[in-house]
Amino acid sequence: MKAVVPGSFDPFTRGHLDIVERAVGLFDQVVVAVGRNAAKDPLFSLEERVELARASCQHLDAVTVEPMSGLLVDFCRAHDLGTIVKGARQGLDFEVELGMAQMNASLAAVETVILPTRPNWSFVSSSLVRQIARAQGDVSPYVPAAVVDRLRRSRHVHSD
Ligand code: PNS
């Protein structure tokens, strides 16, 4: 069975990687779909976010990383994916994910599996990582090595 792990991944964190690795344990093939959350203004371009997710998942043979535009259910249809896997860190995440899962199930025949984030990553979010990087703090415990390098080199992270 194939599953999709969708997200905005701005940038990809070790929490995201943990969810992808656990999805690999549950499904034969996993597609990481890098998309746009209409409620968020991304720091990194779609191409950069795809590149960082690819670099972070390169050790996982069962994983491919693809850009996604438009609706997630259309991406699922186009790639023959019947299951969405998402991580949830705390109560608010579950509420948001539940609404999206129900909407996606209403739009198309897709199921959503919500994996509880492991406690060691439950406080890690892309937005906090961006904040730490902007203030030139150490993000290395929270993001894969490729993302650490990119954040260090990124001028736009340090521009405000
Ligand atoms: O990492 P995020 O911000 O939780 O990812 C959200 C994302 C990109 C998975 C979600 O916004 C999404 O699925 N966007 C594609 C457009 C879509 O299908 N919207 C309706 C979702 S019910």
Side-chain angles (χ1 to χ4, degrees):
M1 265 170 75
K2 297 200 285 183
V4 58
V5 180
S8 39
F9 306 120
D10 186 37
F12 199 88
T13 67
R14 287 184 190 249
H16 293 136
L17 183 59
D18 183 56
I19 296 296
V20 173
E21 287 175 340
R22 286 161 64 199
V24 166
L26 296 170
F27 296 90
D28 304 314
Q29 288 289 321
V30 173
V31 180
V32 174
V34 183
R36 175 129 209 267
N37 183 334
K40 298 177 185 168
D41 190 18
L43 172 67
F44 288 105
S45 70
L46 182 63
E47 294 72 25
E48 287 173 310
R49 287 180 282 127
V50 167
E51 183 194 317
L52 292 176
R54 276 205 184 117
S56 304
C57 297
Q58 64 180 357
H59 60 294
L60 300 167
D61 291 340
V63 174
T64 54
V65 178
E66 301 292 341
M68 169 177 70
S69 57
L71 288 178
L72 174 57
V73 288
D74 290 335
F75 183 92
C76 289
R77 229 176 260 129
H79 292 79
D80 193 25
L81 301 159
T83 310
I84 298 166
V85 177
K86 297 267 337 232
R89 289 162 298 193
Q90 20 71 5
L92 183 61
D93 276 2
F94 277 100
E95 278 180 40
V96 173
E97 294 305 335
L98 181 62
M100 288 201 279
Q102 289 170 329
M103 179 55 85
N104 284 323
S106 164
L107 289 168
V110 288
E111 292 288 0
T112 298
V113 172
I114 301 177
L115 294 179
T117 301
R118 287 197 202 285
N120 43 330
W121 303 124
S122 63
F123 60 95
V124 176
S125 66
S126 295
S127 62
L128 288 179
V129 164
R130 294 196 302 273
Q131 266 186 44
I132 295 164
R134 279 197 179 102
Q136 300 185 30
D138 179 15
V139 294
S140 61
Y142 317 118
V143 293
V147 179
V148 177
D149 287 352
R150 192 69 184 76
L151 283 167
R152 280 200 188 119
R153 284 187 286 114
S154 180
R155 271 205 277 131
H156 51 291
V157 170
H158 303 300
S159 64
D160 61 7

